[in-house]
Amino acid sequence: MHNKTLTRADIEALEKMQRTRLINCLSGYKSANLIGTRDEQGNENVSVVSSVIHMGSNPPLLGFIVRPRKVERHTLDNILSTGSFTINAIALDFAQQAHQTSARYPKEVSEFNAAGLTPHYEDNISAPFVLESPLKMALELREHIIINSNDTEMVIGEVVHVSLPEQAIMPDGYVDLEALDLVTISGLDSYHVTQRVHRLSYAKPNKALFPLTKEGEPSSWRVLAPD
Amino acid sequence: MHNKTLTRADIEALEKMQRTRLINCLSGYKSANLIGTRDEQGNENVSVVSSVIHMGSNPPLLGFIVRPRKVERHTLDNILSTGSFTINAIALDFAQQAHQTSARYPKEVSEFNAAGLTPHYEDNISAPFVLESPLKMALELREHIIINSNDTEMVIGEVVHVSLPEQAIMPDGYVDLEALDLVTISGLDSYHVTQRVHRLSYAKPNKALFPLTKEGEPSSWRVLAPD
């Protein structure tokens, strides 16, 4: 295959939307989540976000990036004023509804209604969950960081509630995201399903890796293979 | 399916590695990249990282999280002292070698040698690329952020060089990551390939979404479908 090399000048010279689409693909596959919030008047907001990342396990922290754009400020404003938000994993059967929440609705319009998603509440948690999601989390705001390089902002929250089908939790703690039919995003608009190749054993110097089943056991095809 | 709900107390009560595995799955699918660096003495380092995210397109910025752990400090130290690093997407055919770089090697050992990967250099870029990767980027350090909530750190760099097969770049700028056989990671150790469901049109209020081909054209199955 013929290789293409882009220098900084080549990237700058790209047409604006072409550059945006290309750069948005470079990080690789992205998580697909809906963030649910509510303002102090009770107006609900839900927004598709592809930048949620793991920040740490103890305490359990997740973070995401807020772009300096109008439509997404509702989410940030609500989190800063209430301290509460939900993260709801996107499954294949409502990925189109989830994508529709990226349209720029006025603040008084609930994206739940506009996109055909169902708000769901749990005791002691003020932000709305997305009922359709098989993996729902509630978070409390822990940190808000301004990124000076491009005026984006990072929100970090602590997970205080997790709800998911019990069968998806493997004995060693691993969660089988494929059992939940979760999708992954590439670029701005491409949705993908996945197929597990294998889990891999914990890497140590001078020790060969071996494949694991989704339950975290040494893979049987390896046990059966000749030495 | 029976649902399991975990409160903050339930999460705290989990056995340490079980909690780490579970929390690492909650954000969803993660990007799979190798970060290449070199110290001022020329010692090479390469490390698998699943936290690379898109930070912005103009300027083109990517960021990633560095855990407060010994092995990964080599990467951070090298970036802070040289200002240069590479991000190399992980494809299926060298995912095991990539995973092996997560073993805790001493600083004088090159993970390239230990894991069986090939360092590759380009003019005017001091950090090593991973020759095996089909999508190679060089970045210049732009920002270094300490995250107070858990003493992790975030590194943000500007993309100054991109190399990939020309056929993977669609006319509208979208990059077909599946054509490159890139993998995605869930949890600490699970590797997955993907299958595109569709791209989706730009969402607007009061306008129905429609599926797009990977080239960004309206999908023909929809054109052929009855109204």
Side-chain angles (χ1 to χ4, degrees):
Chain A
M1 289 209 278
H2 182 249
N3 244 50
K4 171 106 176 164
T5 296
L6 297 158
T7 63
R8 187 199 301 243
D10 295 331
I11 295 170
E12 277 170 12
L14 289 171
E15 183 274 322
K16 184 175 178 299
M17 271 312 297
Q18 201 173 31
R19 178 179 57 209
T20 299
R21 290 195 196 90
L22 186 138
I23 301 297
N24 263 279
C25 290
L26 297 183
S27 60
Y29 291 105
K30 306 172 185 187
S31 57
N33 289 288
L34 284 163
I35 297 196
T37 59
R38 203 159 58 145
D39 69 14
E40 288 175 311
Q41 287 71 50
N43 296 307
E44 294 164 340
N45 185 286
V46 62
S47 181
V48 61
V49 172
S50 63
S51 62
V52 173
I53 51 172
H54 174 82
M55 303 292 295
S57 296
N58 189 20
L61 300 178
L62 302 179
F64 70 98
I65 303 296
V66 183
R67 313 290 305 282
R69 270 171 40 189
K70 222 176 197 169
V71 62
E72 291 170 302
R73 305 298 297 198
H74 303 165
T75 296
L76 180 61
D77 292 347
N78 293 348
I79 294 172
L80 296 179
S81 65
T82 66
S84 174
F85 62 107
T86 68
I87 296 181
N88 309 269
I90 300 173
L92 182 60
D93 63 354
F94 64 97
Q96 289 217 15
Q97 288 97 310
H99 188 74
Q100 182 63 36
T101 66
S102 63
R104 299 186 186 211
Y105 294 103
K107 187 162 171 56
E108 63 275 15
V109 172
S110 163
E111 292 85 2
F112 281 103
N113 292 335
L117 294 166
T118 315
H120 170 79
Y121 288 90
E122 294 280 349
D123 285 349
N124 304 317
I125 294 166
S126 69
F129 294 91
V130 177
L131 184 66
E132 288 78 2
S133 172
L135 171 55
K136 305 178 185 73
M137 293 156 271
L139 295 93
E140 288 177 2
L141 176 65
R142 282 287 164 265
E143 200 163 340
H144 172 219
I145 296 169
I146 310 289
I147 291 160
N148 294 316
S149 305
N150 65 350
D151 297 326
T152 53
E153 303 178 39
M154 186 166 201
V155 173
I156 297 172
E158 181 175 346
V159 180
V160 296
H161 173 108
V162 182
S163 166
L164 77 169
E166 191 159 21
Q167 301 100 301
I169 308 176
M170 299 295 109
D172 71 351
Y174 174 75
V175 179
D176 182 5
L177 303 183
E178 290 181 353
L180 308 180
D181 275 333
L182 297 198
V183 293
T184 176
I185 294 175
S186 69
L188 293 171
D189 56 16
S190 187
Y191 290 80
H192 309 250
V193 292
T194 71
Q195 188 175 3
R196 181 176 299 98
V197 181
H198 45 52
R199 293 178 62 184
L200 286 174
S201 58
Y202 188 80
K204 294 181 182 183
N206 303 318
K207 185 154 180 270
L209 290 173
F210 52 91
L212 304 174
T213 65
K214 72 177 181 179
E215 292 84 5
E217 303 294 335
S219 176
S220 62
W221 66 254
R222 184 174 177 279
V223 172
L224 295 172
D227 280 351
Chain B
M1 287 208 281
H2 183 250
N3 244 50
K4 172 105 176 164
T5 297
L6 296 159
T7 63
R8 187 200 301 242
D10 296 331
I11 295 169
E12 278 171 11
L14 289 170
E15 183 274 321
K16 184 174 177 297
M17 272 312 295
Q18 202 173 29
R19 178 179 57 210
T20 299
R21 289 195 197 89
L22 186 138
I23 301 297
N24 263 278
C25 290
L26 297 184
S27 60
Y29 291 105
K30 307 172 185 187
S31 58
N33 290 288
L34 284 163
I35 296 195
T37 59
R38 204 160 56 147
D39 69 14
E40 288 175 310
Q41 287 71 48
N43 296 308
E44 295 164 339
N45 185 286
V46 61
S47 181
V48 61
V49 171
S50 63
S51 62
V52 173
I53 51 172
H54 173 83
M55 302 292 296
S57 297
N58 189 20
L61 300 178
L62 301 179
F64 70 97
I65 303 296
V66 182
R67 314 290 304 284
R69 270 171 39 187
K70 222 173 195 171
V71 62
E72 290 169 301
R73 305 298 298 199
H74 303 164
T75 297
L76 180 61
D77 292 347
N78 293 347
I79 294 172
L80 295 180
S81 65
T82 66
S84 173
F85 62 106
T86 67
I87 296 182
N88 309 268
I90 300 174
L92 182 60
D93 62 353
F94 64 98
Q96 289 218 15
Q97 289 98 309
H99 188 74
Q100 183 62 38
T101 66
S102 63
R104 300 186 185 210
Y105 294 104
K107 185 160 171 58
E108 62 275 14
V109 172
S110 162
E111 292 85 1
F112 281 103
N113 292 337
L117 295 165
T118 315
H120 170 79
Y121 288 90
E122 295 279 350
D123 286 347
N124 304 317
I125 294 166
S126 69
F129 294 91
V130 177
L131 183 66
E132 288 79 2
S133 172
L135 170 55
K136 304 177 185 74
M137 294 156 270
L139 295 94
E140 288 177 2
L141 176 65
R142 281 289 163 264
E143 199 163 342
H144 172 220
I145 296 169
I146 310 288
I147 291 160
N148 294 316
S149 305
N150 65 351
D151 296 325
T152 53
E153 304 180 37
M154 185 166 200
V155 173
I156 298 172
E158 181 174 347
V159 180
V160 297
H161 172 109
V162 181
S163 166
L164 77 168
E166 191 159 21
Q167 302 100 300
I169 308 175
M170 299 294 109
D172 71 351
Y174 174 76
V175 179
D176 181 4
L177 303 183
E178 290 182 352
L180 308 180
D181 276 333
L182 297 198
V183 293
T184 176
I185 294 174
S186 69
L188 293 172
D189 55 16
S190 187
Y191 290 81
H192 308 251
V193 292
T194 71
Q195 188 175 2
R196 181 177 297 99
V197 181
H198 45 52
R199 293 178 63 184
L200 286 175
S201 58
Y202 188 81
K204 294 181 181 183
N206 304 318
K207 187 155 180 269
L209 289 173
F210 52 91
L212 304 173
T213 65
K214 72 177 182 180
E215 292 83 5
E217 303 293 337
S219 176
S220 61
W221 67 254
R222 185 174 177 279
V223 172
L224 295 172
D227 281 350

